[in-house]
Amino acid sequence: MRTVYVNGDYLPETEAKVSVFDRGFLMADGVYEVTSVLGGKLVDFDGHAVRLERSLSELDMACPISKEDLLDVHRELVRLNDLDEGLIYLQITRGAPKDRDFAFPDPKTTPCTVVLFSQSKPGLSDSPAAKTGIKVISIDDIRWGRRDIKTVQLLYPSMGKMMAKKAGADDAWMVQDGFVTEGTSNNAYIVKGNKIITRVLSTDILHGITRAAVLRFAREAQMEVEERNFTIDEAKEADEAFITSASTFVMPVVEIDGVALGDGTPGRVAPRLREIYLDESRKAAV
Ligand code: PMP
């Protein structure tokens, strides 16, 4: 049985509890992070901690937990759960006031709720899907306008994944005003020749921690990176495509809305970037 963390305590997963009045539960008033674990170490912990702080501050959510303490909790969960490969999920909500009310509670009397748990995923870095690539469909992006904040409002991304499943695909890319924003839980890229094209950072997309690392590695490997909008039609004509996230690293995309890219196999750029990303992440993990 897993040991999870709730507000200062390490507990068996069946004994960990959060109030029915918790604003995360009632109003999706919470933020989260997912940090991958490779060889028992945390990948890009600093990046996730910095983004968490920004998400909290954009939502005016006070949560006095230091980066050092957060790192300790992450490491303790890895240790207690004997985690080698997998993820640490963290969620912070605006806490549990005495009653349901739209107005934010006073953080002095209603402390934030902090929950962390581990997800063991043996073989995550050697996923068979990375060898075959995944299929995506396109769907309308009807999410709210602050996707740069990593909130727990994940209903539409969940629906998107179900639409993909129903269509016989693995995931969905969302489209707004004719241009791809991102995947349901990942950033989206196309490749043309030696050039990697991905949407520029704004409030329209989540500022992926994996995205930042992968673009840095790509530039270091002399690949050209162009941050601009692209359409689904342009993507269908691309040589390659891929997604990035903490849980998939770099994952080739081989089909978009039923159209195979190139010869329908992962190609050169995405697998190479995946290899570099995994190597460098293992080296830098803490
Ligand atoms: N976009 C969205 C909508 C996401 O949910 C995620 C992953 N949570 C990402 C992008 C990728 O972010 P990261 O690389 O930090 O996991």
Side-chain angles (χ1 to χ4, degrees):
M1 192 193 292
R2 257 184 296 199
T3 300
V4 305
Y5 174 93
V6 182
N7 297 326
D9 296 321
Y10 293 92
L11 299 165
E13 63 185 32
T14 49
E15 281 169 37
K17 290 187 174 57
V18 174
S19 163
V20 294
F21 296 112
D22 195 277
R23 288 182 61 94
F25 175 61
L26 293 179
M27 297 181 170
D29 188 358
V31 299
Y32 75 109
E33 282 296 332
V34 176
T35 303
S36 56
V37 174
L38 287 175
K41 289 183 168 182
L42 299 154
V43 174
D44 238 328
F45 174 80
D46 252 30
H48 290 284
V50 167
R51 185 172 63 188
L52 173 67
E53 224 164 88
R54 180 175 178 280
S55 292
L56 290 168
S57 104
E58 289 296 303
L59 296 175
D60 237 344
M61 207 184 284
C63 199
I65 181 161
S66 72
K67 198 156 132 185
E68 292 69 33
D69 288 348
L70 268 185
L71 178 57
D72 287 346
V73 178
H74 277 76
R75 284 179 162 160
E76 188 62 1
L77 283 180
V78 168
R79 192 184 71 78
L80 290 170
N81 294 288
D82 201 14
L83 193 63
D84 176 50
E85 243 174 59
L87 310 164
I88 300 288
Y89 176 87
L90 166 155
Q91 179 168 331
I92 296 181
T93 77
R94 207 182 304 272
K98 289 205 170 59
D99 200 0
R100 180 176 182 270
D101 185 3
F102 280 83
F104 292 174
D106 183 343
K108 287 194 208 78
T109 49
T110 303
C112 58
T113 301
V114 182
V115 169
L116 284 92
F117 55 81
S118 57
Q119 294 185 287
S120 178
K121 307 241 180 223
L124 186 67
S125 65
D126 194 29
S127 143
K131 292 175 186 84
T132 55
I134 62 162
K135 299 174 182 176
V136 302
I137 58 165
S138 62
I139 60 172
D140 277 349
D141 196 339
I142 60 164
R143 297 173 300 162
W144 82 323
R146 288 303 306 274
R147 301 149 192 167
D148 56 312
I149 307 173
K150 198 166 169 61
T151 76
V152 296
Q153 298 179 60
L154 296 174
L155 180 54
Y156 190 64
S158 294
M159 291 169 73
K161 290 210 193 258
M162 294 312 292
M163 289 184 242
K165 202 173 168 180
K166 210 171 158 194
D170 305 291
D171 205 351
W173 280 10
M174 294 178 282
V175 177
Q176 168 177 289
D177 299 328
F179 296 103
V180 174
T181 51
E182 58 189 334
T184 58
S185 61
N186 42 70
N187 290 113
Y189 309 73
I190 57 172
V191 179
K192 288 185 152 191
N194 200 31
K195 194 187 290 174
I196 296 158
I197 300 160
T198 193
R199 193 179 176 104
V200 72
L201 294 180
S202 72
T203 51
D204 291 339
I205 61 169
L206 187 75
H207 301 193
I209 302 305
T210 319
R211 177 189 186 279
V214 165
L215 292 188
R216 189 173 73 245
F217 298 142
R219 287 178 173 121
E220 283 168 10
Q222 314 304 324
M223 297 176 193
E224 202 183 326
V225 175
E226 199 172 301
E227 291 177 75
R228 64 158 172 88
N229 284 354
F230 62 89
T231 64
I232 285 288
D233 280 345
E234 186 180 7
K236 284 178 184 165
E237 309 247 291
D239 298 324
E240 286 181 44
F242 62 93
I243 57 167
T244 65
S245 74
S247 54
T248 61
F249 310 119
V250 177
M251 180 65 68
V253 169
V254 292
E255 195 180 294
I256 301 175
D257 284 339
V259 175
L261 304 188
D263 64 1
T265 66
R268 270 181 328 106
V269 173
R272 173 93 188 100
L273 279 174
R274 181 180 175 90
E275 192 183 309
I276 298 174
Y277 178 79
L278 286 170
D279 282 354
E280 295 298 323
S281 296
R282 280 184 206 283
K283 276 190 238 159
V286 297

